[in-house]
Amino acid sequence: MHRDRLMVRRRYTQLIAAVLYNCNIKGFMTGSIYKGPIKGFCAPGINCYSCPGAVTSCPLGSLQTGLLSSKYKVPYYVLGTIILMGLFLGRFICGFLCPFGLFQELIYKIPTKKIKKNKVTRIMSCLKYIILAVFVIIIPLVKLVPGFCKYICPAGTLEAGIPLVISEPRLRGLVGFLFSWKIFILVVILFICTFCYRSFCRFICPLGAIYSFFAPVAVVGVKVDTGKCINCDKCVENCLMDVRKVGDRECIHCGECIHHCPVEAIRTSPHISIDGIIRKTK
């Protein structure tokens, strides 16, 4: 029962985050983009700036824009925001506060044969660091274009590209190869997500790669009491992410491992209780 309550609260938190990020309902009806004062702030998770409902900016998009428009100067504000969120929340953001993460989890519920994590998926989890370096940092600096947003980001296609093309007839005539390519990327990723849990998060997402660097120091998360742990590895075996241990760089702190530990050695952060946070969403 406790596990079910925790999972329901996590789902509520994900839904509330998605609604708060995209509460400009008028934008969906008019096809316009909100450009008010709140847009200067970054949401913790991936949420496209150009989504008609978005009231905040995407940290990845803001980072790329800062790099390509700063003429090789460090975008301190964006970097500071990302670092602050990383230090405080880390990949808890991936597990609780990312709308596209929620969407992937819902897609995974489609009944199909599932691919269990293995050596190949663990190796593929390193791909997101290459994408971070090439598409988020190098291409914006060298080509002066937001590489990840322009060529890959499926969240932007789903949240912004498709709604804007549907709601704004004049944009349909401007659709070309690049938009078709982005649709293809989105379809492929969602297809893979039906049988491979959170495949975008695990293999592609550069924001998850950034937050993973803060895994050793993030305030919020799940921790293991080493004095109680009997090294049975049930936590790792039952985790759908490519973790090697609880709380490592691949851990999204969803709390699923807590309920598989036979000796109750896994708990939420001693500084800020995850359970306390999600109870406030009820």
Side-chain angles (χ1 to χ4, degrees):
M1 286 295 291
H2 178 67
R3 174 182 180 276
D4 292 339
R5 288 198 301 270
L6 179 60
M7 292 303 105
V8 168
R9 289 166 184 163
R10 185 169 83 90
R11 192 67 77 222
Y12 281 158
T13 305
Q14 291 174 303
L15 287 169
I16 289 171
V19 171
L20 290 177
Y21 293 176
N22 301 287
C23 59
N24 180 39
I25 307 301
K26 180 181 177 182
F28 288 110
M29 296 183 288
T30 61
S32 59
I33 299 172
Y34 172 78
K35 296 182 180 179
I38 308 175
K39 211 58 177 279
F41 296 94
C42 293
I46 285 183
N47 197 73
C48 188
Y49 176 98
S50 298
C51 174
V55 295
T56 56
S57 296
C58 173
L60 269 182
S62 298
L63 178 59
Q64 292 168 88
T65 301
L67 289 173
L68 64 90
S69 64
S70 60
K71 295 182 180 179
Y72 303 102
K73 294 180 180 179
V74 178
Y76 290 107
Y77 168 71
V78 178
L79 275 178
T81 301
I82 293 174
I83 290 171
L84 183 62
M85 291 189 293
L87 287 171
F88 185 62
L89 296 172
R91 293 205 72 181
F92 172 88
I93 293 169
C94 305
F96 282 78
L97 302 175
C98 182
F100 199 67
L102 167 63
F103 191 69
Q104 290 174 82
E105 291 183 11
L106 296 178
I107 291 291
Y108 186 72
K109 289 183 176 293
I110 295 174
T112 61
K113 289 185 177 181
K114 308 300 181 183
I115 295 178
K116 294 183 179 180
K117 63 184 180 183
N118 51 63
K119 290 182 179 179
V120 174
T121 61
R122 286 198 174 105
I123 292 172
M124 287 181 62
S125 68
C126 297
L127 178 62
K128 58 181 173 286
Y129 299 101
I130 298 173
I131 291 175
L132 169 63
V134 175
F135 287 89
V136 178
I137 299 174
I138 295 175
I139 289 180
L141 288 176
V142 176
K143 295 292 186 180
L144 297 182
V145 294
F148 182 77
C149 293
K150 184 173 183 178
Y151 301 120
I152 297 178
C153 187
T157 307
L158 180 68
E159 297 172 359
I162 293 174
L164 288 174
V165 168
I166 290 175
S167 61
E168 192 60 51
R170 64 184 177 85
L171 293 178
R172 296 171 195 166
L174 302 176
V175 169
F177 172 78
L178 186 58
F179 183 74
S180 300
W181 167 254
K182 293 287 295 293
I183 290 290
F184 172 74
I185 291 290
L186 174 64
V187 170
V188 169
I189 289 174
L190 294 184
F191 173 72
I192 296 173
C193 283
T194 61
F195 53 85
C196 187
Y197 183 74
R198 272 185 173 246
S199 54
F200 174 75
C201 298
R202 290 161 68 184
F203 313 134
I204 300 174
C205 182
L207 187 59
I210 293 173
Y211 288 144
S212 75
F213 294 131
F214 298 94
V217 295
V219 175
V220 175
V222 289
K223 312 291 182 182
V224 177
D225 185 337
T226 54
K228 288 184 178 180
C229 180
I230 59 174
N231 298 311
C232 66
D233 280 340
K234 289 189 180 296
C235 50
V236 174
E237 291 171 4
N238 287 282
C239 180
L240 295 175
M241 300 295 286
D242 294 285
V243 301
R244 296 183 182 275
K245 63 179 182 178
V246 172
D248 70 5
R249 291 189 304 180
E250 299 303 319
C251 177
I252 60 172
H253 303 279
C254 65
E256 179 69 24
C257 55
I258 295 173
H259 314 289
H260 292 285
C261 181
V263 293
E264 298 183 351
I266 306 173
R267 53 181 170 74
T268 57
S269 168
H271 303 287
I272 296 179
S273 168
I274 292 176
D275 290 341
I277 292 173
I278 56 181
R279 281 196 189 101
K280 292 179 183 180
T281 66
K282 287 192 72 176

